[in-house]
Amino acid sequence: MAVAVRTIKPDSSEAQKNNPLGIGSFFTEEQFSMMQEIMYPKYISAGNHLFWEGDPLGKLYYIRSGKIKLLKSTEDGKQFILSILQAGDLLHEPADGFRQHHSFSAEIIENAELGVIQAKDLDSLMHRQGDLAFSFMNWMAFMQRVTESKFRDLLLFGKPGALASTLIRLTNTYGVATPDGIRINLKLTNAELADFIGATRESINRMLSTLKAEGTLSIRKGYIVVECLDALRTMSQCPTCSACPKGICRI
């Protein structure tokens, strides 16, 4: 629950170290410190929602610890996972003059400590600090590129290519190198993988079975281990690293 005090302790380097492409990497230390000065703390336990699709806009959420799953529902009841954010990320859906309500929901999947910023406070800060506003625009442009690259992979290369792309993005975001391959350090069910690409759980079961039989990946203690990243890149027709750097290719 949010408290009345509108300050938050300075961010440790842990979130930035574990997530070098988080929001903090787009600002100077002084700029990020100014942003933290207008945050107030909020703590939410796993299983709760930060907000629901249709709730009013007006706040930004800096994730100091925990994980948040972003979900989009369709009129016929289907659900898509848009992203899974981690410590160091900023959750922000701007008002665009036509829409004043969230177009997706945010579910807490790991106990979260947040820094909340009122949009009006950030607007005031950016009016006073032009350099900070420019850095914020760079971050928004970066996130737009991430979204565009996801749409490209989901729409152009069929369900197998979309699954391969999702697995690559998961390795870039949550991957840990092991002697067996890259372990995705985030447990996901086959149903959740299906929700990333708009597929059925049964089709994901079949595709994963094929990838395991081919030696592309394995499942160890509930974690996916990618043993042949190049095979996934071939399936998703991965562009060159210069066209789609690791920072863009994230979940």
Side-chain angles (χ1 to χ4, degrees):
M1 182 177 66
V3 297
V5 179
R6 293 181 57 83
T7 58
I8 193 166
K9 63 184 178 181
D11 190 34
S12 68
S13 61
E14 193 65 22
Q16 186 65 16
K17 180 178 70 174
N18 293 332
N19 184 9
L21 290 167
I23 183 72
S25 64
F26 289 83
F27 297 91
T28 65
E29 185 175 342
E30 181 182 5
Q31 290 171 343
F32 193 54
S33 178
M34 286 188 287
M35 287 184 63
Q36 292 192 93
E37 287 175 1
I38 62 173
M39 295 179 187
Y40 63 86
K42 188 178 184 72
Y43 305 88
I44 308 182
S45 57
N48 292 301
H49 278 72
L50 180 59
F51 55 78
W52 293 88
E53 188 172 344
D55 284 350
L57 297 169
K59 295 177 182 177
L60 299 83
Y61 304 93
Y62 175 67
I63 306 172
R64 295 179 57 80
S65 65
K67 291 183 176 63
I68 300 179
K69 179 164 60 177
L70 307 185
L71 300 161
K72 176 68 178 177
S73 298
T74 62
E75 292 184 359
D76 59 0
K78 291 181 181 179
Q79 189 167 258
F80 293 87
I81 298 177
L82 302 178
S83 185
I84 297 179
L85 304 182
Q86 61 179 317
D89 287 331
L90 182 72
L91 173 51
H92 174 43
E93 185 177 12
D96 56 15
F98 299 95
R99 174 175 45 83
Q100 301 295 325
H101 298 85
H102 283 290
S103 61
F104 55 84
S105 301
E107 178 186 348
I108 308 299
I109 59 173
E110 185 180 283
N111 294 345
E113 177 187 359
L114 309 174
V116 184
I117 303 175
Q118 296 283 352
K120 57 183 176 56
D121 292 341
L122 181 63
D123 288 345
S124 177
L125 177 61
M126 290 196 293
H127 273 102
R128 300 193 308 270
Q129 302 289 337
D131 289 347
L132 186 148
F134 183 75
S135 297
F136 194 83
M137 289 173 58
N138 283 338
W139 172 77
M140 292 189 69
F142 171 83
M143 296 308 296
Q144 179 67 22
R145 284 191 64 194
V146 172
T147 300
E148 289 173 354
S149 70
K150 287 181 182 179
F151 283 140
R152 176 200 65 207
D153 294 347
L154 291 174
L155 294 174
L156 296 183
F157 307 121
K159 297 304 182 188
L163 176 61
S165 168
T166 298
L167 292 171
I168 292 170
R169 292 174 188 278
L170 286 166
T171 64
N172 289 339
T173 311
Y174 294 105
V176 176
T178 72
D180 299 313
I182 304 173
R183 185 184 70 224
I184 297 173
N185 219 20
L186 179 70
K187 285 189 175 180
L188 293 166
T189 66
N190 288 2
E192 287 175 316
L193 285 173
D195 288 343
F196 272 111
I197 67 173
T200 64
R201 181 176 57 82
E202 291 75 16
S203 65
I204 292 294
N205 292 345
R206 290 192 296 271
M207 287 188 281
L208 289 179
S209 294
T210 299
L211 292 173
K212 286 189 284 186
E214 294 171 347
T216 302
L217 57 79
S218 60
I219 309 295
R220 300 172 186 264
K221 296 182 179 180
Y223 293 96
I224 297 174
V225 178
V226 176
E227 299 178 359
C228 185
L229 194 60
D230 285 341
L232 295 179
R233 288 173 174 156
T234 299
M235 288 174 60
S236 60
Q237 300 183 39
C238 237
T240 63
C241 290
S242 59
C244 186
K246 186 175 180 179
I248 298 297
C249 188
R250 55 178 296 185
I251 201 64

